[in-house]
Each structure stands twice: as structure tokens, then as C-alpha cells.
Amino acid sequence: GVLTQSEDQCLMTLVDVTERIQTNEFRDMTRDILQLLNEPGNIRDSIHRTLNVLKVRTCSDAVGIRLKVGNDYPYYDQLGFSDNFLQSENSLIDVDKNGKVYYDKKGNVRLACACGMVLSNASGLEDQFISPGGSWWTNDYSNVLENDCIADIRFHYRNQCMLEGYSS
């Protein structure tokens, strides 16, 4: 067929701009977070507001940040986790039936579950879960559960994240 000039003007090119949109969203979120963290004021408030930006911009159900206190890494702040989740998962230190803390061969406290594994810098963490910037993360926690190498180095896996429906 022959195209007339009016038909030719209606031809369109489809371009997938998903990656460009995601890049722009990430850049905007980073800018917002940096602005929050550079404002004068209380650090706890700044972190809380930062978590709120992360929760909203990533459409996450819950976000949290753990900071080291002694040998543990309790949540310093969080948004969206249930009270039941926090009650069972706030501390990464597990104790035996006699209340004694577990230690590794070097005398370090053994931290439980996947968070404990990552925070302990467990050797054997799979490269598939390490970002180019060095962060350990997954967008589908079932991949972690199915990974034999991870299962072998994880200590006292609680499975509470999965039971609560968190996948990342």
C-alpha cells in the first residue's frame, strides 16, 4: 500500500521509558532524602522523615533502620511493622533454653535470621544478593529461602518476615 501524507503523519514510535522513569524517581527520592538529612534538627526526626520518604516513594508496606546497641541491632526507627513483628524481631540476639546467648568460635554474639547473617558479614553470601554498591538485598525473599548456600550460613532462621508477608 501507498501511504498518503495524512496517514504518514499518524505513524508513531513506541519507546519503553520505564527505566528512564525509574531513574528519575530514584534521583528525586535521593534528592529529597539528602535535603532532609542536611536540615538542622533532631537526628531521630530526620531518620523518621527519611523512612517516610522511602516508604511512600517505594510504595512499601514497612521500612525500618537498625542501629547497633551493644552487641545487638534493634530497630532505631520503623514505619509499618506490626507490634507482633517488632516484639519477635526487634532483637537479633537469640538465647538458648537457659537464657544463655549464643557465641561463635571467635567469641562474637551470633545474630539470628537473615538480618543477623548480613550484619555479621557472614562469609558465603551469594553475589546475586549483593548490589554494585555493596548492599545486600533482594526483591523477592523466597529466592533467599530457596538458596542452599544462604540456608547453610543463616543462624536461627525465624521466618517471621515471610509469615508477615514481607518479600523484600
Side-chain angles (χ1 to χ4, degrees):
V2 177
L3 292 177
T4 64
Q5 187 170 356
S6 62
E7 290 172 328
D8 190 25
Q9 291 172 350
C10 294
L11 293 178
M12 297 186 306
T13 302
L14 297 176
V15 178
D16 186 358
V17 294
T18 304
E19 187 175 329
R20 187 177 346 154
I21 290 170
Q22 289 173 335
T23 300
N24 289 339
E25 286 291 321
F26 182 73
R27 186 183 60 241
D28 291 346
M29 181 176 64
T30 302
R31 183 196 65 237
D32 291 349
I33 289 171
L34 288 173
Q35 285 176 339
L36 282 171
L37 293 174
N38 283 305
E39 291 176 2
N42 178 312
I43 188 69
R44 183 172 286 278
D45 182 57
S46 295
I47 288 174
H48 186 79
R49 292 170 54 210
T50 298
L51 289 178
N52 191 56
V53 168
L54 287 169
K55 186 175 183 292
V56 169
R57 295 296 273 282
T58 61
C59 300
S60 296
D61 295 322
V63 294
I65 184 168
R66 292 181 180 272
L67 295 180
K68 188 173 185 180
V69 176
N71 291 319
D72 202 358
Y73 291 84
Y75 284 104
Y76 180 78
D77 196 7
Q78 60 79 34
L79 291 169
F81 291 119
S82 71
D83 290 339
N84 287 340
F85 179 83
L86 291 171
Q87 189 172 30
S88 67
E89 297 300 310
N90 194 46
S91 177
L92 296 176
I93 296 176
D94 271 353
V95 294
D96 65 16
K97 62 182 178 182
N98 297 318
K100 186 176 177 183
V101 174
Y102 292 97
Y103 291 90
D104 65 17
K105 294 175 184 176
K106 295 180 182 178
N108 299 312
V109 171
R110 295 215 48 201
L111 300 175
C113 219
C115 286
M117 174 187 65
V118 173
L119 289 167
S120 298
N121 294 316
S123 60
L125 290 175
E126 293 293 305
D127 287 342
Q128 70 187 22
F129 300 114
I130 299 174
S131 73
S135 297
W136 192 91
W137 78 286
T138 178
N139 200 33
D140 182 0
Y141 202 67
S142 64
N143 288 337
V144 175
L145 298 176
E146 295 167 3
N147 188 302
D148 292 334
C149 294
I150 299 296
D152 291 343
I153 61 175
R154 190 177 49 217
F155 175 69
H156 283 188
Y157 183 60
R158 299 173 183 157
N159 201 24
Q160 193 64 34
C161 293
M162 294 299 290
L163 292 172
E164 294 273 340
Y166 303 120
S167 62
S168 177

